[in-house]
Amino acid sequence: MLNFEFVSPTRIIFGKKAEEKVGEEVKKYSNKILFHYGQGSIKKTGLYDKVVKSLKNVGVEFVELGGVQPNPRLSLVRKGIEICKKENITFILAVGGGSVIDSAKAIAAGMKYEGDVWELYEGKGTLKEALPVGVILTIPAAGSEASMGSVITNEDGWYKRAINYDILRPVFAIMNPELTYTLPSFQTAVGTVDMLTHVMERYFTNTQHVELTDRLSEATMRTIIHNAPLALKDPYNYDVRAEIMWAGTVAHNGLLGNGREEDWATHDIEHEVSGIYDVAHGAGLAVLFPAWMKYVYRHDLNRFARYAVNVWNVEADFFNLERTALEGIKRLEKYYKEDLKLPITLKELKVPDDRFEEMAEKATERGPLGNFVKLYKEDVLNILKLAR
């Protein structure tokens, strides 16, 4: 096990009607905030009115900025920074899924960074402080409600890049599984893939003697795998939605990565795909992670066989670990296709192969990807071809 430091300051407020507490939580930090949200679904569900009522009841003034898209855009982040500076905003409330939260974090970072906020995402600057961010989560998937990460897409060149700072972890996350009842099936499905991939990016590691986090990771994956199809069949099942929502947070708050080397190559490759073609992040991962697995599994047959046995209940073939490992990958793909009803090839995702070279080049322009196996431009190109 490697040395590590773990900081998880986000206060989780979980359960039915939890969103009604948002005013009193925000009031602890500010009397004037930016209320940041997506493209209007919170108004259709009535959540917007609940938030406004709760803020007004405690005398919190707010300025609104809606319009966050999936794969959130740098242009809106810059607009948010401009509004916050003009209005002397001291807190940001993000109401929505990972895209809204990531956008809010980017605005929070840009408010305290002296240069242009995109410099941080290019790795040309360092963030030392940020505005506090609070969250009401409506889409369990990205884990951004308790993570240190933010991913933003720059329309100039369609670069999708991430930053990770502990100071970007939200100060609180309000999580009511009831708010996820009306999610479209597709959102539930791609959110499931995002959660599973967050765990697998950590699970496939070269670090030895990490038994606890191995077992925690396997339990988290099994919980997600079991409950997601149930949610698709019965969207109003509170207990199932609660399991999924909490698993999504655990999958990406850093706990499962403690003491172990993480990978993240597939996320970096997917960012190039969704940056150009604007596909849902989880949909891209459903195609690309199995392709990555097929490309690297021989690097550690024991780990892939363990994954197959402990996560997918594959009967171990101790005389042919490769067969066991490949069966685990096969079951993951089958789950995505049959249980979640998602594409498992780039062709099915309507991503053509004429820009593979460009994506491989952009993905590796700052160096090789990943840690489990270092991937260079040709490796990325091969994985994209495997996913074709």
Side-chain angles (χ1 to χ4, degrees):
M1 186 182 296
L2 304 176
N3 293 354
F4 67 89
E5 295 183 13
F6 180 52
V7 178
S8 185
T10 306
R11 183 163 176 252
I12 305 295
I13 304 162
F14 193 102
K16 297 178 179 180
K17 299 184 179 180
E19 68 276 12
E20 295 176 4
K21 300 178 181 179
V22 66
E24 61 187 79
E25 291 301 321
V26 169
K27 185 72 172 178
K28 297 173 184 178
Y29 299 94
S30 177
N31 289 313
K32 188 172 184 182
I33 71 167
L34 181 71
F35 177 12
H36 200 33
Y37 55 90
Q39 296 181 299
S41 63
I42 65 168
K43 293 183 178 179
K44 296 176 184 176
T45 62
L47 179 57
Y48 173 89
D49 292 333
K50 289 181 182 180
V51 172
V52 168
K53 180 181 178 181
S54 185
L55 293 174
K56 287 183 175 179
N57 283 345
V58 296
V60 171
E61 185 181 351
F62 59 90
V63 178
E64 294 184 37
L65 179 61
V68 180
Q69 303 177 54
N71 300 313
R73 307 295 200 258
L74 178 62
S75 57
L76 191 67
V77 169
R78 286 175 172 154
K79 182 178 179 181
I81 294 168
E82 183 180 335
I83 291 172
C84 287
K85 289 180 177 178
K86 180 181 177 181
E87 299 288 342
N88 295 314
I89 297 295
T90 55
F91 185 90
I92 302 174
L93 174 65
V95 182
S99 294
V100 174
I101 302 167
D102 281 8
S103 183
K105 289 177 179 178
I107 295 169
M111 273 293 290
K112 294 293 186 176
Y113 181 68
E114 292 184 0
D116 180 72
V117 66
W118 186 247
E119 293 174 4
L120 297 169
Y121 290 83
E122 289 184 307
K124 296 178 180 178
T126 302
L127 186 65
K128 297 181 180 178
E129 57 179 330
L131 288 187
V133 173
V135 171
I136 298 179
L137 183 66
T138 62
I139 305 176
S144 195
E145 68 275 3
S147 80
M148 64 171 67
S150 167
V151 182
I152 296 296
T153 298
N154 186 343
E155 301 97 311
D156 183 8
W158 297 105
Y159 283 88
K160 187 175 179 182
R161 296 289 181 262
I163 56 173
N164 291 281
Y165 292 95
D166 275 320
I167 54 175
L168 290 179
R169 292 183 189 269
V171 294
F172 68 78
I174 291 172
M175 300 168 60
N176 176 2
E178 294 171 312
L179 299 179
T180 70
Y181 285 170
T182 57
L183 280 178
S185 295
F186 178 75
Q187 287 287 351
T188 297
V190 296
T192 298
V193 177
D194 202 2
M195 295 178 206
L196 284 174
T197 310
H198 286 157
V199 184
M200 293 187 293
E201 294 277 23
R202 297 171 166 98
Y203 184 80
F204 291 102
T205 182
N206 294 314
T207 308
Q208 301 297 309
H209 307 296
V210 283
E211 180 181 353
L212 177 59
T213 45
D214 273 347
R215 291 180 183 274
L216 290 173
S217 295
E218 290 159 1
T220 304
M221 286 187 277
R222 290 177 67 94
T223 298
I224 296 166
I225 290 164
H226 172 71
N227 283 282
L230 300 178
L232 291 173
K233 292 176 183 177
D234 182 6
Y236 292 85
N237 186 321
Y238 180 87
D239 295 324
V240 166
R241 290 291 194 181
E243 295 286 359
I244 293 171
M245 184 172 251
W246 183 228
T249 301
V250 173
H252 201 41
N253 72 347
L255 175 66
L256 304 182
N258 283 337
R260 59 198 296 145
E261 183 182 66
E262 302 176 13
D263 192 69
W264 300 102
T266 310
H267 263 70
D268 287 334
I269 299 170
E270 197 288 325
H271 287 168
E272 302 307 329
V273 175
S274 57
I276 293 173
Y277 296 102
D278 210 24
V279 301
H281 179 54
L285 291 172
V287 171
L288 290 167
F289 204 87
W292 173 85
M293 296 170 103
K294 293 170 189 174
Y295 193 72
V296 305
Y297 75 93
R298 289 189 180 91
H299 174 71
D300 190 343
L301 280 175
N302 284 309
R303 177 148 292 272
F304 271 88
R306 173 178 177 146
Y307 167 79
V309 172
N310 291 355
V311 177
W312 293 105
N313 297 321
V314 175
E315 186 175 346
D317 184 344
F318 296 106
F319 298 102
N320 194 336
L321 284 181
E322 183 166 11
R323 180 183 300 168
T324 304
L326 288 173
E327 179 62 24
I329 299 170
K330 181 180 177 181
R331 292 194 188 184
L332 175 66
E333 281 192 306
K334 182 180 179 182
Y335 177 78
Y336 287 163
K337 184 173 184 176
E338 297 184 5
D339 293 85
L340 302 186
K341 311 300 183 187
L342 292 174
I344 58 170
T345 67
L346 289 174
K347 183 179 180 180
E348 291 176 309
L349 201 57
K350 294 182 170 52
V351 172
D353 59 9
D354 59 341
R355 299 180 72 174
F356 282 5
E357 186 82 18
E358 175 190 348
M359 288 189 281
E361 178 71 36
K362 287 167 70 176
T364 56
E365 65 183 14
R366 291 187 291 179
L369 306 181
N371 290 303
F372 186 69
V373 174
K374 290 291 183 184
L375 303 179
Y376 295 84
K377 179 183 173 181
E378 283 302 311
D379 299 307
V380 174
L381 197 56
N382 289 334
I383 289 170
L384 289 168
K385 290 176 181 177
L386 270 176
R388 185 164 49 187

